[in-house]
Amino acid sequence: MTYQDFLNHKAVLSADLAAVAMARQAGDLIIRKGRLVNVHTGMIEDQTDVIAFKGIIAFVGNADGYPVGKNTKIINADGRYILPGLIDSHMHVESSMVDLASFASGILPHGTTTICPDIHEMTNVFGLKAVELFHKTAAHIPLNVLAAMPVCVPSIPGMEDAGSAITASDVGKAYRENWVELQGEQMNFPGVIYGDPNVHAIGGESLRAGRVMTGHYSSPDLAGGLNSFIASGMTACHESTSAREALAKAGRGMYVQQRYGSAWLDLPNLLPALLDNPGMDSRMFTMVTDDVTPLTIEEEGHLIRVLREAVRLGVPPVQALQMVTLNAAQLLEKERWIGSVAPGRAADILIVNNLVDFKVQSVFSGGILVAEKGCLKVEIPPYDYPDWSLDSVHIPLQKAGDFVVPSPGDEELTVRSIRLVPGMVFTREEMLCLVPRDGQLRADFSQDLAKVCVIYRHEKSIPVEDRRSIAFLKGLTLRENTAYASTVSHDSHNLLVVGTDDEAMALAANTLKASGGGLVVVQDGSVQALMPLPFAGLMSLKSVSDAALELKGVETALREAGCPHDSVEMTISLLGLIVLPELHLSNKGLVQMKDGAPPCFVPLFPE
């Protein structure tokens, strides 16, 4: 259902809703005697009833004496808390490594009833037809899916190659066809603030269509750059990593989407903006997951996990709840539809036991009981995907020699390397001194030095010199004769291979070629763990539980291969994300972005 669909539905029912509210007509759902958390006032109302009719709330208050029809479903809250359904205003379904049907089945029992998926992962692989396909998959799922139109495909044109490219005309078409509800994250902030005409043409389509425009601003420039970004139309950003950044953005009218995913745990660094300023208006602060793995969903939940963490860190429970309900709805300009338990809103309602761990008893989406005591109560059938969506890894057979780094000389060389920072989205640039052996520069596990290679894996043809690039990486502590490969490599999702041995790197790459994409760990000449992701090379067609087991196998194999960090596969997946500081690798080469300067190519061997 789109927002306009909801308004049309409400227009048809307006007389009935008025009649139910006035006790002249029975509702079809009554929740009795709960403690309503009123996100409008910030207060808790005891002994409160809620009546809904055909998916819309008609009455909130004391419903003693109100009529009960033969088809009215009555739920006794018995003093438990009544909350609005949770809203994740920025996330990527693809990061869960399962498709939308499996994802919805996994998160509904945890109380998320609205998601705003930026689907630029699958769009980087397949282009505009991926947007249309995703819209079709969402049609019969009991979850509000407000898809966000990808606008950075590739993230920085000319500096990387994806499987397709999204233009301003594509963005306009997606809006006209109602495939999407809002603009996805504008990651090419250099293009915005330095006046790239193509970037501004895309923004113009969103502005003319009246759509909310979300951003990705990771520059240290909180003066002219930030003002420029917001002035161009961006209303929200999830890339803040410090309280200072968060306050700067909120103070200029930009919603702060505080991120707490599986690997990017920014929330504790951002909440001091609120905790150290207790009198400050918090309406500009929301909370999002951005990227969560199936293992996180299975073991900890979805957005409710973020809510719990905020309360644990000291945020008052009602204020924390506002950040994942009403504030998020206002960010999306959908507060007449979602975000509160109030008359005229969708009956997206949770019943929880307390306001500490928010243990979910019941979940209603559009007035339908979709989950109870952690179990899904509705059937969400699998989607029958077209063949083209399951065929996306187009690389030749790889050999060990393909991963050799020839040395330009025989003497010790200075080499530019990437240092991965576990749990953070950025990297560091480091200069190394390496001595060639047999005319090449080698990885050295004893010095925590691995190779990293990006191989173009999409169907369209590109120049030979752009089909692969290779560099050096520190920070993973991989052991000898080890490699890891993934077709989840933000944002162009080319094949990323990391390793301490060329033979192992070739085996890892060829394993994913054969499986149609996924994640693989190789050690001592054999595959230790494999998670196939056949849909776009990004997603499994299995359940969240089954995908979680496979991912756990990959993470265990990575630990046994010497890498101790949690959810490190997500951090590795950002080595190709060239819109982040400081040094990343695209299929075209090393891209440096630091000190607020525009991104630029830099050589492996500095002069």
Side-chain angles (χ1 to χ4, degrees):
M1 179 182 288
T2 67
Y3 184 37
Q4 191 57 55
D5 290 336
F6 172 78
L7 293 177
N8 292 342
H9 180 56
K10 187 173 173 180
V12 171
L13 295 177
S14 63
D16 293 297
L17 294 169
V20 171
M22 292 297 292
R24 297 196 305 267
Q25 182 176 327
D28 52 26
L29 171 67
I30 301 177
I31 300 174
R32 292 196 184 279
K33 306 311 173 195
R35 303 184 69 190
L36 173 68
V37 181
N38 191 322
V39 293
H40 291 288
T41 64
M43 301 171 70
I44 295 175
E45 301 177 15
D46 291 327
Q47 294 293 303
T48 301
D49 306 321
V50 179
I51 305 177
F53 182 74
K54 294 191 181 302
I56 300 176
I57 297 169
F59 177 85
V60 178
N62 184 344
D64 290 349
Y66 271 63
V68 175
K70 63 179 181 179
N71 296 319
T72 301
K73 183 177 182 65
I74 298 176
I75 303 292
N76 289 310
D78 292 328
R80 297 184 181 92
Y81 293 89
I82 299 174
L83 319 179
L86 309 185
I87 302 169
D88 196 341
S89 65
H90 177 74
M91 49 77 65
H92 306 277
V93 169
E94 301 99 321
S95 295
S96 72
M97 302 181 195
V98 295
D99 74 332
L100 181 59
S102 295
F103 183 75
S105 299
I107 68 169
L108 279 168
H110 297 291
T112 303
T113 57
T114 298
I115 59 172
C116 299
D118 186 334
I119 51 173
H120 66 215
E121 321 302 352
M122 59 190 294
T123 306
N124 266 278
V125 179
F126 294 127
L128 190 61
K129 63 183 180 180
V131 179
E132 181 180 11
L133 175 61
F134 187 83
H135 172 72
K136 291 177 179 177
T137 67
H140 303 294
I141 289 179
L143 178 74
N144 299 322
V145 181
L146 283 61
M149 180 62 199
V151 293
C152 295
V153 181
S155 64
I156 306 181
M159 304 194 82
E160 64 179 339
D161 291 293
S164 188
I166 290 296
T167 65
S169 62
D170 293 328
V171 173
K173 180 177 181 179
Y175 291 145
R176 291 191 299 274
E177 296 289 343
N178 290 317
W179 294 339
V180 292
E181 283 280 330
L182 65 153
Q183 178 187 284
E185 59 180 301
Q186 177 50 269
M187 294 181 295
N188 190 358
F189 65 86
V192 174
I193 67 178
Y194 293 112
D196 185 311
N198 294 319
V199 172
H200 282 274
I202 284 175
E205 292 290 340
S206 299
L207 289 167
R208 280 187 285 273
R211 306 302 174 109
V212 168
M213 300 165 67
T214 61
H216 166 126
Y217 188 76
S218 56
S219 170
D221 179 4
L222 300 179
L226 178 60
N227 277 268
S228 170
F229 196 63
I230 299 172
S232 298
M234 310 308 154
T235 59
C237 177
H238 61 280
E239 283 296 328
S240 300
T241 59
S242 71
R244 176 175 171 267
E245 288 180 72
L247 283 171
K249 291 171 184 175
R252 296 296 174 264
M254 171 173 270
Y255 282 92
V256 179
Q257 296 168 305
Q258 301 170 105
R259 173 170 52 194
Y260 196 72
S262 293
W264 336 131
L265 306 175
D266 299 310
L267 183 68
N269 299 323
L270 302 177
L271 284 178
L274 292 168
L275 298 175
D276 295 346
N277 298 283
M280 186 177 67
D281 193 323
S282 62
R283 77 181 72 186
M284 300 304 294
F285 288 80
T286 66
M287 297 188 291
V288 300
T289 62
D290 196 6
D291 298 298
V292 289
T293 68
L295 195 55
T296 297
I297 296 171
E298 181 73 4
E299 295 182 348
E300 302 178 49
H302 186 243
L303 189 58
I304 202 159
R305 157 184 177 268
V306 189
L307 178 60
R308 291 179 185 128
E309 181 65 9
V311 172
R312 188 189 73 80
L313 290 169
V315 179
V318 177
Q319 185 183 53
L321 183 65
Q322 288 170 325
M323 292 192 283
V324 287
T325 57
L326 183 61
N327 294 9
Q330 291 175 341
L331 181 164
L332 298 166
E333 299 178 0
K334 302 290 189 290
E335 64 270 25
R336 290 192 292 159
W337 175 17
I338 52 178
S340 64
V341 178
R345 276 66 168 186
D348 299 339
I349 300 169
L350 313 183
I351 300 176
V352 306
N353 288 353
N354 59 65
L355 300 183
V356 179
D357 63 16
F358 295 90
K359 184 176 180 181
V360 179
Q361 179 77 17
S362 304
V363 181
F364 296 86
S365 181
I368 298 170
L369 180 66
V370 294
E372 195 167 32
K373 296 181 180 178
C375 297
L376 195 68
K377 304 296 287 185
V378 294
E379 182 181 0
I380 301 178
Y383 190 84
D384 186 15
Y385 289 98
D387 290 343
W388 57 261
S389 68
L390 307 176
D391 179 23
S392 67
V393 182
H394 306 280
I395 63 169
L397 199 67
Q398 301 294 298
K399 307 180 296 297
D402 294 325
F403 298 93
V404 168
V405 180
S407 171
D410 297 327
E411 303 298 322
E412 183 179 79
L413 293 164
T414 300
V415 178
R416 186 177 264 113
S417 73
I418 304 168
R419 174 168 285 280
L420 177 145
V421 182
M424 301 303 293
V425 298
F426 56 80
T427 62
R428 298 298 188 200
E429 179 180 2
E430 289 189 8
M431 297 299 177
L432 306 176
C433 291
L434 300 183
V435 178
R437 284 188 293 150
D438 303 322
Q440 59 179 286
L441 297 173
R442 301 176 183 271
D444 186 349
F445 74 96
S446 68
Q447 297 185 56
D448 182 25
L449 183 64
K451 291 179 181 177
V452 54
C453 183
V454 172
I455 304 169
Y456 185 78
R457 62 118 166 159
H458 303 295
E459 196 166 14
K460 75 176 186 180
S461 179
I462 65 170
V464 173
E465 62 270 20
D466 292 336
R467 293 180 187 170
R468 65 190 307 122
S469 63
I470 194 162
F472 288 92
L473 176 73
K474 294 181 73 70
L476 280 183
T477 65
L478 293 177
R479 295 193 176 117
E480 189 176 14
N481 301 323
T482 297
Y484 169 81
S486 173
T487 49
V488 179
S489 175
H490 300 278
D491 266 327
S492 288
H493 296 290
N494 287 307
L495 175 59
L496 180 74
V497 189
V498 177
T500 56
D501 177 79
D502 297 346
E503 291 282 358
M505 293 174 77
L507 176 57
N510 291 331
T511 300
L512 294 190
K513 171 180 168 64
S515 67
L519 317 178
V520 64
V521 180
V522 168
Q523 191 170 23
D524 296 327
S526 65
V527 173
Q528 301 299 306
L530 171 65
M531 182 180 188
L533 300 174
F535 180 23
L538 301 171
M539 289 168 278
S540 168
L541 299 181
K542 298 179 181 179
S543 68
V544 166
S545 296
D546 289 343
L549 281 175
E550 290 185 342
L551 181 60
K552 195 165 190 175
V554 170
E555 292 186 350
T556 299
L558 279 167
R559 286 192 183 91
E560 292 173 352
C563 184
H565 312 297
D566 292 335
S567 301
V568 74
E569 75 284 347
M570 300 197 80
T571 308
I572 296 171
S573 75
L574 297 189
L575 291 173
L577 188 49
I578 61 175
V579 294
L580 292 174
E582 292 183 347
L583 189 65
H584 291 78
L585 186 68
S586 83
N587 62 294
K588 292 176 178 286
L590 283 165
V591 177
Q592 181 192 76
M593 187 173 70
K594 59 194 301 187
D595 302 325
C600 61
F601 286 113
V602 291
L604 180 62
F605 306 107
E607 294 182 2

